[in-house]
């Protein structure tokens, strides 16, 4: 089979041809009505879809077009990183306003770089006109033993990958008219999906994982609710980027780090092995899981004492956010 | 596994909960980061993504919210009907402006009805804010022997399912300030994806198929280009709804009928068997496939003579369309 089907005439197909030129070997089999893929025997298919919409998830003046493409792709891949799954491919639905058409090659370059990094070929897509740039990316993966957010059990330790707070600090700087630090900006603009880390964790006994797209303070509640447990966060243990408060680290969304529940008594040894297998990426114990007989709960501790959860620690909620 | 994961708090999750209430058993396993599915052993996975965007693909005043949900879902399923594949599930990415939030239950009802008709459960999704309503629907199917648009061979007959021109006539009426006939409006508002028909055709020797989302005049060019053949359309044979010209039938997009290339000498017998297996849906021979030594071509015949293709016979091109 040839790598791509020959496309008919028309401006919409010209746009697709320009994208394919940019992607090269990062895209396969585009142009037919649908793409064909094979799931390895014995594995299950894992799928997820994620939209990045201009002014909702980013503003044009904050990011280059390459970064917008990269970030949207990594955000979509991140959902499956939390499952411990391996990529099969991605489908792209792009809504491209007229004012953005000249940026298509740059957007495509960012998308292509991100999918290539995780060996997730582009296998299909759709391009539409619209008022705002929107990238809806569906990710297909496979795995034999999927992680879920519902698997946390009493006695588990809670871990997070990396250091939190960078994307939130960058957003806060932009929204208050300032300029983020280069480090915070990079955390927002060039996140990496923790695909390799998720696989390592699934293979080393993790019970549950979730990516921190809503922020640790919000996502830990999803784990507690889905698993029917109490999650205890040790506030002083939360790994943070420089200059960020605990409250900011808890509320910083779009992190794309993982929160993991795993049954390990020797957290330090687990973290060291993890770092060795994942290019030095840190894994930090940040709490524990306790039994709940009815319902679910999240509580905070500091210096061994139960404390109130810092007040800005809420999930970023696209529907509750003020008009921007 | 419970049917759905317990969702955490927040307005975005409230919206998802309202959708799940509406869908009932039409949705499974929503709420985790990703959905798990199984492809039957020996089958291949087939995937496609399709967006329906307000003012680009429909206008709010033309359709009820139920119809918008139904139509977007059938349009997405239609791409895989042309492969002869069976549904595994769908993922929905909805961009919902504030002015549309009250319509979410009605949109969800239309989506739910459409997926239930074709046994394609909703397995995941994403809800974002935005300026225009947009429904991006990714369809996952499986098949052992996929059809493609690239399989047409010299000697094949060309067939179409159903009768063409209704959606184009409805659009034309709306765009010129009139009211479409009830029959034309129904063809636009309540299309059906030809999933069962596509499976029958794949099982009965069809070589290639494509859905007529760009209109017969445009989509036959895609088949010719992808297969490297000349397609000869017999203009008088094209099945049309009442009151529609040949040119209109050729240019009417969003049809969701199938164009099929199949090696049958006795087209009448093939059509009769097809109708018996597909609830009386017609299959009409509309032309033939000829060899091309270099390139691809589409030509028209009437009364045995080569004629010019009627001039409005061009694909609907979202990028070339005037601003509306």
């Amino acid at each position: 089979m040839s790598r791509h089907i020959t496309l008919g005439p028309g401006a919409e197909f010209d746009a697709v041809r320009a994208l394919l030129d940019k992607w090269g070997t990062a895209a396969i089999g585009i142009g037919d009505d649908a793409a064909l893929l094979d799931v390895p025997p014995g594995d299950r298919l894992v799928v997820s879809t994620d939209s990045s919409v201009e002014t909702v998830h980013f503003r044009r003046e904050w990011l280059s077009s390459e970064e917008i493409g990269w970030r949207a792709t990594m955000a979509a891949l991140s959902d499956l990183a939390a499952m411990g799954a391996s990529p099969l491919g991605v489908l792209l639905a792009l809504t491209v306003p007229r004012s953005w058409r000249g940026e298509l090659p740059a957007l495509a370059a960012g998308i292509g770089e991100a999918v290539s990094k995780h060996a997730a070929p582009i296998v299909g897509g759709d391009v539409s006109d619209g008022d705002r740039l929107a990238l809806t990316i569906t990710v297909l993966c496979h795995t034999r033993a999927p992680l879920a957010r519902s698997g946390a059990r009493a006695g588990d330790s809670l871990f997070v990958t990396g250091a939190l707070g960078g994307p939130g600090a960058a957003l806060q700087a932009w929204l208050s008219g300032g300029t983020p630090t280069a480090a915070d900006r990079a955390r927002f603009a060039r996140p990496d999906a923790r695909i390799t880390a998720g696989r390592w964790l699934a293979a080393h006994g993790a019970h549950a994982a979730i990516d921190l797209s809503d922020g640790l303070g919000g996502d830990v509640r999803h784990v507690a609710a889905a698993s029917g447990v109490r999650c205890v966060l040790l506030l002083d243990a939360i790994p943070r980027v420089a200059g960020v408060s605990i409250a900011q680290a808890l509320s910083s969304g779009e992190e794309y780090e993982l929160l993991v529940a795993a049954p390990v008594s020797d957290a330090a040894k687990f973290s060291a092995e993890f770092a060795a297998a994942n290019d030095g990426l840190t894994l930090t114990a940040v709490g524990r899981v306790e039994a709940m007989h009815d319902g679910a709960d999240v509580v905070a501790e500091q210096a061994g004492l139960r404390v109130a959860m810092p007040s800005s620690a809420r999930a970023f909620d696209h529907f509750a956010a003020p008009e921007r």
Side-chain angles (χ1 to χ4, degrees), chain A:
Chain A
M1 190 176 85
S2 69
R3 201 160 57 79
H4 300 296
I5 299 292
T6 308
L7 292 161
E12 191 172 338
F13 298 104
D14 289 342
V16 175
R17 269 184 283 268
L19 292 176
L20 293 177
D21 283 349
K22 183 58 70 174
W23 286 326
T25 56
I28 51 173
I30 306 289
D32 219 320
D33 277 323
L36 285 161
L37 296 166
D38 294 302
V39 177
D43 273 19
R44 308 196 71 191
L45 174 67
V46 202
V47 294
S48 173
T49 194
D50 194 67
S51 296
S52 291
V53 182
E54 185 183 357
T55 75
V56 177
H57 297 94
F58 60 88
R59 289 195 193 166
R60 189 169 187 165
E61 57 269 30
W62 296 346
L63 300 176
S64 73
S65 296
E66 286 88 348
E67 287 169 340
I68 289 168
W70 168 282
R71 186 170 175 277
T73 308
M74 287 300 182
L77 285 164
S78 180
D79 279 333
L80 296 193
M83 310 285 284
S86 305
L88 280 172
V90 302
L91 297 115
L92 308 174
L94 306 180
T95 302
V96 186
R98 275 164 195 259
S99 67
W100 276 95
R101 288 197 198 161
E103 296 299 310
L104 257 180
L107 288 162
I111 295 168
E113 236 191 300
V115 299
S116 296
K117 172 152 194 194
H118 292 294
I122 298 158
V123 297
D126 190 38
V127 181
S128 298
D129 197 9
D131 293 321
R132 289 193 210 182
L133 183 71
L135 304 87
T136 295
I137 303 183
T138 301
V139 181
L140 310 170
C141 286
H142 65 95
T143 178
R144 194 153 301 210
L147 282 175
R149 62 174 71 171
S150 57
R153 302 174 211 166
D156 283 352
S157 293
L158 294 172
F159 297 89
V160 298
T161 62
L164 308 184
L171 260 179
Q172 212 160 5
W174 276 314
L175 291 174
S176 60
T179 304
T181 68
D184 289 345
R185 186 187 181 286
R187 294 283 302 155
F188 184 90
R190 297 280 297 187
D192 191 13
R194 299 304 185 193
I195 297 274
T196 314
R199 283 212 298 271
W200 188 94
L201 289 160
H204 289 77
H207 284 158
I210 190 170
D211 78 323
L212 299 181
S213 47
D214 293 333
L216 177 59
D219 283 310
V220 70
R221 289 182 198 285
H222 297 316
V223 170
S227 301
V229 296
R230 170 184 289 127
C231 290
V232 181
L233 284 184
L234 307 176
L235 297 186
D236 291 326
I238 296 169
R240 295 175 271 146
V241 300
V244 158
S245 71
I246 292 171
Q248 286 173 316
L250 283 165
S251 63
S252 173
E254 329 278 319
E255 282 281 359
Y256 310 122
E257 298 296 348
L258 301 180
L259 169 67
V260 185
V264 275
S265 49
D266 188 348
K269 181 162 170 284
F270 191 69
S271 302
E273 279 184 24
F274 173 86
N278 288 278
D279 285 335
L281 179 66
T282 56
L283 184 72
T284 308
V286 297
R288 63 183 185 274
V289 178
E290 297 180 349
M292 280 289 286
H293 296 297
D294 182 23
D297 194 17
V298 173
V299 299
E301 283 186 9
Q302 232 165 351
L305 296 174
R306 176 82 60 93
V307 296
M309 191 72 76
S311 65
S312 71
R314 52 171 190 75
F316 181 68
D317 185 327
H318 297 136
F319 266 24
E323 291 285 3
R324 281 176 287 180

